[in-house]
Amino acid sequence: MILTGEKIRVWLATRPVDFRKGHDGLSAVVQTVLGHDPYSGAVFAFRSRRGDRMKILVWDRTGLVMVYKRLEGGGFQWPRPSDGVIGLSPAQFSALFEGLDWKAVRAVRRPRPRRAA
């Protein structure tokens, strides 16, 4: 989808937004409510009131891209709308975008093998 192999930051707005907002309205929310720069290249995800729709805003170095997704027969697994914004890893965001429980995604740290002297 949007995420490539590069290290990318993903910010999830936990409170619902007015889904009539377009590029300019969502970029204003990113600046005023979330306190981030919409032109930073980070991915910003927004939820609808019902929780079955998502809008994503990202600057791709040539313009603002807005993606709209509606799940059929279910809803996204959203966090409680307490803090306003939380950071997600690209793997967690991919799970959320697919309608899966993103909280179950954990990074597995494998120890590096030691070199013999």
Side-chain angles (χ1 to χ4, degrees):
M1 195 210 95
I2 295 173
L3 302 178
T4 60
E6 64 187 66
K7 186 76 172 167
I8 196 157
R9 293 165 304 180
V10 180
W11 299 103
L12 177 63
T14 60
R15 297 178 188 204
V17 296
D18 182 357
F19 258 44
R20 294 175 290 182
K21 292 184 185 294
H23 296 80
D24 296 330
L26 290 178
S27 63
V29 170
V30 169
Q31 290 176 334
T32 59
V33 177
L34 306 182
H36 291 282
D37 178 14
Y39 304 102
S40 66
V43 174
F44 299 96
F46 302 92
R47 66 166 291 169
S48 66
R49 291 201 190 279
R50 289 188 282 184
D52 63 339
R53 296 177 190 145
M54 175 191 304
K55 278 191 177 181
I56 301 161
L57 188 71
V58 65
W59 174 258
D60 74 348
R61 296 184 189 106
T62 61
L64 280 174
V65 177
M66 185 172 58
V67 177
Y68 179 93
K69 183 168 183 174
R70 179 182 68 202
L71 282 183
E72 298 295 331
F76 294 101
Q77 300 292 320
W78 297 105
R80 292 187 184 128
S82 57
D83 293 333
V85 64
I86 62 170
L88 297 179
S89 71
Q92 289 173 321
F93 175 72
S94 294
L96 174 68
F97 190 76
E98 294 298 323
L100 303 173
D101 184 7
W102 60 272
K103 292 171 271 183
V105 176
R106 301 268 189 257
V108 176
R109 302 208 186 260
R110 294 187 179 115
R112 291 184 182 174
R114 296 184 182 205
R115 293 183 182 175

